Amino acid sequence: MNSIPRLAAAAVATFALTLAPAVAASAQPSHGPDARVLKALSHLDRRLAGAVKDARMARLTDTDAAALRANVATDGATLDAAAAALAGDGTDANLAAARDLITSYRPQVYVVATNIVRHGEKVLAQVAQLQSLVTPGSTDEADLATATALLATVPASGFTATTDGATLRAAQHVVVQAQGVASRVADDVAGG
């Protein structure tokens, strides 16, 4: 008879220990500006992770995918630090800093950057293929070197969640310019 109350007490203690972290996590404010900002930070963090999901990164080289993922991890760590600071101390300064992050971070930058980098990789592959077909010392060889130099100015590690639209457009313009040079060389090679 004595073992049943002990067993029940052990079950209650085990349940309380497993429930304690959930209760502590729910001790966060459930309403008010702090709660809304914490929720927005969490949402932003999920959007950052979704911007570099495996399906999107599959068509990039491992190096470029790793560079974009590293930048997302850095941005995510910044968001986590802001959320922890706000959850620990809901002062106006922490709230303002978290709101600044929410307004300045744009996860869609990584989607656009992935497309730019992927397009740049295609052009670079075309340049590599054409280099064996051009005459050494010709203007076509110099043009291919120019295209390679242009593409080198658009590294995957250069994009973060705070990259502005002008920088994205400039990178896209550089890739299109390199593609134009490679296409011109391809036409010269095909024309003989």
Side-chain angles (χ1 to χ4, degrees), residues 27-28 34 38 45 53 60 68 90 133 150 162 169 179 187 191:
Q28 305 282 337
D34 291 358
L38 285 171
D45 197 27
K53 58 187 173 184
L60 293 180
L68 287 173
L133 302 174
L150 282 170
T162 57
R169 284 187 297 279
Q179 182 184 17
D187 290 344

Side-chain angles (χ1 to χ4, degrees), residues 114 158 160:
T114 301
T160 65

Side-chain angles (χ1 to χ4, degrees), residues 51 56-57 59-61 64-65 68 106-125 147 150-160 163-179:
R56 191 177 309 282
M57 298 284 120
R59 296 191 294 180
L60 293 180
T61 62
D64 288 338
L68 287 173
R106 297 176 27 232
Q108 64 269 25
V109 165
Y110 286 108
V111 175
V112 174
T114 301
N115 293 335
I116 292 170
V117 170
R118 182 176 42 83
H119 191 120
E121 288 175 355
K122 285 182 181 179
V123 174
L124 196 57
L150 282 170
L151 292 172
T153 64
V154 185
S157 60
F159 298 104
T160 65
T163 300
D164 62 347
T167 304
L168 289 172
R169 284 187 297 279
Q172 190 173 23
H173 178 71
V174 166
V175 171
V176 168
Q177 188 178 4
Q179 182 184 17

